[in-house]
Amino acid sequence: MVIIMKSDASQENISGVIKAISDAGLEGKIMEGSQQKIIGVIGDKTKLASVAIDALPGVESSVAISRSYKLASREFHPKSSVIDVGGVKIGGDEPVVMAGPCAVESREQLFEAADIVKSGGAQFLRGGAYKPRTSPYSFQGLEIVGLKYLAEARERTGLKIVTEVTTVDGIAPVAEYADMLQIGARNMQNFGLLKEVGKCGKPILLKRGLAATIDEWLNAAEYIMNEGNPDVVLCERGIRTYETYTRNTLDLSAVAAIKHLSHLPIIVDPSHGTGKWRMVKPMAFAAIAAGADGLMTEVHPNPAKALSDGPQSLTPENYLELMSGVKKLSKFLHDENLFSYEE
Amino acid sequence: MVIIMKSDASQENISGVIKAISDAGLEGKIMEGSQQKIIGVIGDKTKLASVAIDALPGVESSVAISRSYKLASREFHPKSSVIDVGGVKIGGDEPVVMAGPCAVESREQLFEAADIVKSGGAQFLRGGAYKPRTSPYSFQGLEIVGLKYLAEARERTGLKIVTEVTTVDGIAPVAEYADMLQIGARNMQNFGLLKEVGKCGKPILLKRGLAATIDEWLNAAEYIMNEGNPDVVLCERGIRTYETYTRNTLDLSAVAAIKHLSHLPIIVDPSHGTGKWRMVKPMAFAAIAAGADGLMTEVHPNPAKALSDGPQSLTPENYLELMSGVKKLSKFLHDENLFSYEE
Amino acid sequence: MVIIMKSDASQENISGVIKAISDAGLEGKIMEGSQQKIIGVIGDKTKLASVAIDALPGVESSVAISRSYKLASREFHPKSSVIDVGGVKIGGDEPVVMAGPCAVESREQLFEAADIVKSGGAQFLRGGAYKPRTSPYSFQGLEIVGLKYLAEARERTGLKIVTEVTTVDGIAPVAEYADMLQIGARNMQNFGLLKEVGKCGKPILLKRGLAATIDEWLNAAEYIMNEGNPDVVLCERGIRTYETYTRNTLDLSAVAAIKHLSHLPIIVDPSHGTGKWRMVKPMAFAAIAAGADGLMTEVHPNPAKALSDGPQSLTPENYLELMSGVKKLSKFLHDENLFSYEE
Amino acid sequence: MVIIMKSDASQENISGVIKAISDAGLEGKIMEGSQQKIIGVIGDKTKLASVAIDALPGVESSVAISRSYKLASREFHPKSSVIDVGGVKIGGDEPVVMAGPCAVESREQLFEAADIVKSGGAQFLRGGAYKPRTSPYSFQGLEIVGLKYLAEARERTGLKIVTEVTTVDGIAPVAEYADMLQIGARNMQNFGLLKEVGKCGKPILLKRGLAATIDEWLNAAEYIMNEGNPDVVLCERGIRTYETYTRNTLDLSAVAAIKHLSHLPIIVDPSHGTGKWRMVKPMAFAAIAAGADGLMTEVHPNPAKALSDGPQSLTPENYLELMSGVKKLSKFLHDENLFSYEE
């Protein structure tokens, strides 16, 4: 933390700030220029919260400069992590694709979707059994029945299952049926849920919050890891901006940022990120070229009949074309050594 | 919903859209101009989710035009609601003020704060026993011990207690000790939590999410009300924007918007909304003048020692000055009949 | 500026940074803690741009901590400025109101509007002769003819004239006919225009840019003042956010921020700030209570026939009611000494 | 435009709206459902501005549904445009790269940069002679001297020159020395400047405004094209969001959006878009994979000495590596027919 003093701060003001810092067990160092006096604070960041520097006399403002997450940081763990989900490696040489309908609607719909997903070469089947919806009157998911259909689809296809958990009570059933638990954007700072999935023994897919900073996102991962679960995969899914043409603004620079700041794998969801099926293919290619470790995408046997999020779902034909391109592009980038991130 | 067709959409395309709408039990009406064809959809909105219009051939885009909340809307309930919390009326003629420290830190600190809050004339004591914090290493609250201190402070002062609940498991203890349960910004779309507080039998203070639209906020209220709890008070606490000078951007126009769209009372939190104690007084006055039914503000016996959010806490002196001004201003607006909203 | 070094930065890296700072004529001071090394830079800020610190080996990032504006700052000029526009004082005890139609449409419309504006007690007539419009096919203003009508309306009513200038070529005619020149939101960083109005000898009303930070806004004022024109009045008119219910999000906390950071007067435009006539009155009251020095608002003899921005224009009745309330509220705040800002 | 009536709107209200629409020479069609009445407006959009529907009795709100640009739209011109700049084709099969320093600082620096740019295979040299800077005290460019150096660098290398024009007065000199004129982000809605470059006879590179919607951006292109200049190339350079880790948020989905909505070529500037040199390569690859027609990037012989924007400039080595990768990636996408957009 750096403290900026008012230009007319007195020597007494400065002494007061230095004392408050010392009282908190930290050390303050003064830098005095002709126009400006600033005080740097050195020491254990967790003690900083107990000193409300801004309210001390003579203080203009303060700026935080260090990060509060540790286990999720690349400084702490320089080598990129590879997360193993029942044999499928996320963060390795091959891109991992998680595809399927937004919501599990029926056994028939799910099986049809699963067969398409499998035929395109994705490794994971996705599909919501518990759906967090803006309106209480929208379809909320098939719940436990949906989980059972997902498990059946795994038997049928061999695909791994990733599905969202929205409540602490839901962790046990979801962990029983799924291979990987998804924390959705709206729950990224549901800290009670984060702590509990940190104890569930299954890998976690952590979506970025609707308006979460990269720092907050990595702190959310820290909550999970701090409970003993190191297997966290991040998923960029678009952030909220003033632009209304797209449903969200897909922030692909987050891929490069995460690769620099963290060792955790990151995948990209261009379906939610744009809200338009026409944009899924170009954004999927862009994500892979940016260095993403995989994709999450919506596929529906019949998008125009989807109970939720139809406008952003791919048809089976679009999906197969996407998968073919993603595989070629990823192999090319690998063969040519065009990785975007070097450790 | 209005569907905008591509300029080169065929008659067959239009028929296809009309059929899809009919299949969903709704009615589509065509409006055809020289440059543009659009189709309006009339009927029960809850059926709309099952038709993914955008993916149909010939469709350019679609625009939602109706609201999905009902119980929270002024259309449904034209008269402004007054919420009674143990005799204190929120939404009536007098502004209701909820004041206290961000977090309960100790019995001594809380009692000292409560005495100050009481002496200024606020009706509620606020203080967090469960604190949702960005970093897992920040102070997380005294939990059940904090709740007991709050209840003791009520005994001591007669103030009503409002405190945040962050998990479903926490609802029972918080409802036992507090008069009103607060849903914080990060949990505004924690739908599991919303449903459960809808059944707890106590009034709810629902803070606006960090990047929630007014529509999403009223839908969150709808989740609570739909479970049978009509006693919801909204709290504007600043939204996330590109501006970094303030911690958030306090959206006072939300007060006027809510008064138009909903019958629920709304209060304003200028402490979190700005993150700077210097701005609390002017923004509190502005909120009252905009028509807010009350305020939530942070007061700390010694802000420079606060375990969280010190920079935005008022000193006892600032608080007393604020309360004096708020009371005079509110009485003036009432006496002069300068209400901002007329039913 | 504070430079944050990587955790594994070598002593050589640190020396390199210190040398680069010295080469630019500045001084670097090292603060070394157990977990982190940071370097503070002291000296004349204008030299900082020539050192691209972030690209030096061992540097993680850098944070700017000082302001780049001076003439506009309260540090430089602690006493609040009062701007005199032909005898009308902006920033004094009485709120100044600038009212009128968005665009000058005809002599008849303008005269009718001017009479209403006068009767309500506003001091300025506003009205656009040059209209910056998103689409080239929208009405662009009556230009020189509109200016002449404005001057005629001044003769008729005694109101001062404020109108927008959008091009360097337009400065001379606008300065000839108007009492005050307005720089619109879209031109807030049109630096060529800012420099030229800095030489025109007339007071300037500087609207905040659509997505401008407070720091950028004050720097825009600095451009004008640096050319020798000290008479700048700021106007908050809403910023661009994700919220779509309002046209913009009116940032009333900017009033409190400007009062702290600058000595310049600030007024508020609730018409553009919200885009909805229903919200103009509550937001006008809120602006005055927040400490604004005045208001700008749209009034139209017949809003439903306005050539631009009708939905946010007040009817004559609404306007008169607004003015009555604003005057009472302002007098009350003054009499009760409830000013939001104390020097 | 679609008009949403209040639920309690009377038959008289509806007739009033229909009449106002007719008076403006347009036609209104009523759609009446059980819960909702809406009125669609059909006809020439340019007449719509003269009807302020929202202020009419019984109207709740209105929603615009059509676009106001025409010449820039793909509907009007279905085939993708290729812009020829002195023989270099933008929008064709090969990606066009514009590289160079942010600002022209000296003949020596520019020549050194130009030689590097040339050796990497870019087609354009970029470099600012007129620099729009937030603070009036920052380096503002070498102006006419800078233009002459750019022209000399063209002689030396054969590279085309693109440079920013910031004022109407600057158009003639910039058009004399440069091959392509750049309109910067801060001037995207400087309509006077847009109109004048529409008459200058040279191709225009139009950067997206800091907080411009895609619709506003295409309308800005329309201003230029409407003056007779069809040669407009768009440049995505990041938008302003709440995220502070990056300087801006690079919106690569804008590439896909523009390809759908417009026939104009689009390039991407990952240097300004991220503000961090470490992110330039991954974002450049991503832009190409998303379907961008080229790139603009900052290269500086010695980024740590750059007079502006050093932190985002590539070193010569980084630049050459980037160019090699971009060429391979683009060829691969072309050979494999993995284009993101199909007409």
Side-chain angles (χ1 to χ4, degrees), chain A residues 35, chain C residues 26 43-49 64-69, chain D residues 135:
Chain A
Q35 300 175 20
Chain C
L26 298 157
D44 177 4
K45 199 192 143 65
T46 61
K47 293 176 184 167
L48 285 178
I65 54 172
S66 67
R67 299 171 195 140
S68 47
Y69 54 88
Chain D
S135 164

Side-chain angles (χ1 to χ4, degrees), chain A residues 156-221:
Chain A
R156 182 183 171 96
T157 58
L159 291 166
K160 304 293 165 199
I161 301 299
V162 57
T163 194
E164 183 166 356
V165 59
T166 59
T167 59
V168 170
D169 283 354
I171 295 175
V174 173
E176 183 186 340
Y177 291 105
D179 301 289
M180 186 173 210
L181 280 63
Q182 176 181 319
I183 299 291
R186 281 165 193 76
N187 282 312
M188 194 204 82
Q189 291 196 315
N190 181 341
F191 300 119
L193 188 61
L194 296 178
K195 284 179 190 168
E196 291 305 315
V197 298
K199 299 171 193 157
C200 78
K202 292 263 174 150
I204 307 299
L205 184 70
L206 179 65
K207 289 201 145 188
R208 184 178 184 179
L210 256 77
T213 62
I214 287 169
D215 188 77
E216 290 167 340
W217 193 12
L218 288 171
N219 268 296

Side-chain angles (χ1 to χ4, degrees), chain D residues 12 41 71 73 129 173 179 240 266 293 339:
Chain D
E12 199 188 331
V41 184
L71 304 174
S73 76
D179 300 288
R240 186 158 273 186
I266 176 168
D293 297 300
F339 294 119

Side-chain angles (χ1 to χ4, degrees), chain A residues 95-102 122 124-128 161-164 180-184 205-207 233-237 250 266-273 280 283-284 287-288 292-299 312 314 319 322-323:
Chain A
V96 170
V97 180
M98 306 178 181
C102 181
F124 277 77
L125 175 66
R126 58 149 290 163
I161 301 299
V162 57
T163 194
E164 183 166 356
M180 186 173 210
L181 280 63
Q182 176 181 319
I183 299 291
L205 184 70
L206 179 65
K207 289 201 145 188
V233 175
L234 302 168
C235 180
E236 161 66 30
R237 46 75 73 206
L250 191 67
I266 175 169
I267 69 170
V268 171
D269 177 348
S271 301
H272 280 88
V280 172
M283 289 303 100
I288 294 297
D293 298 299
L295 298 167
M296 173 168 259
T297 185
E298 286 186 17
V299 188
Q312 68 199 31
L314 296 176
Y319 163 71
L322 172 88
M323 287 301 295

Side-chain angles (χ1 to χ4, degrees), chain C residues 176-203:
Chain C
E176 186 187 337
Y177 291 104
D179 301 289
M180 186 174 210
L181 281 64
Q182 176 182 318
I183 299 291
R186 282 165 192 74
N187 281 314
M188 195 204 81
Q189 290 195 315
N190 182 341
F191 301 117
L193 187 62
L194 295 179
K195 284 179 191 169
E196 291 305 315
V197 298
K199 298 171 192 158
C200 78
K202 291 264 173 151

Side-chain angles (χ1 to χ4, degrees), chain A residues 6 46 49-52 54-56 59-60 68 70-71 132-137 140 166-167 186-187 189-192 195 211-213 216 219 222-223 226 240 245 277-278 303-308 310-311, chain B residues 6 46 49-52 54-56 59-60 68 70-71 132-137 140 166-167 186-187 189-192 195 211-213 216 219 222-223 226 240 245 277-278 303-308 310-311:
Chain A
K6 290 188 181 179
T46 60
S50 61
V51 184
D54 291 42
L56 292 175
V59 173
E60 176 59 35
S68 47
K70 180 186 163 200
L71 304 175
R133 304 295 303 273
T134 299
S135 163
Y137 310 122
Q140 310 267 325
T166 59
T167 59
R186 281 165 193 76
N187 282 312
Q189 291 196 315
N190 181 341
F191 300 119
K195 284 179 190 168
T213 62
E216 290 167 340
N219 268 296
E222 192 82 5
Y223 264 96
N226 194 39
R240 186 158 272 187
Y245 182 74
W277 65 266
R278 279 188 198 98
K305 286 244 169 106
L307 288 176
S308 66
Chain B
K6 291 187 180 180
T46 59
S50 61
V51 184
D54 292 42
L56 292 175
V59 173
E60 176 60 33
S68 47
K70 181 188 162 200
L71 304 175
R133 303 296 302 275
T134 300
S135 163
Y137 309 123
Q140 311 267 323
T166 59
T167 58
R186 282 166 191 74
N187 281 313
Q189 291 195 315
N190 180 341
F191 300 117
K195 284 179 191 170
T213 62
E216 290 167 341
N219 269 295
E222 192 82 5
Y223 264 97
N226 195 37
R240 186 158 271 187
Y245 181 74
W277 64 268
R278 279 188 199 97
K305 285 242 168 109
L307 290 175
S308 65

Side-chain angles (χ1 to χ4, degrees), chain A residues 104-119:
Chain A
V104 179
E105 295 164 28
S106 69
R107 178 190 263 124
E108 185 194 15
Q109 167 250 19
L110 187 68
F111 283 11
E112 203 179 337
D115 291 348
I116 296 159
V117 167
K118 177 73 182 177
S119 72

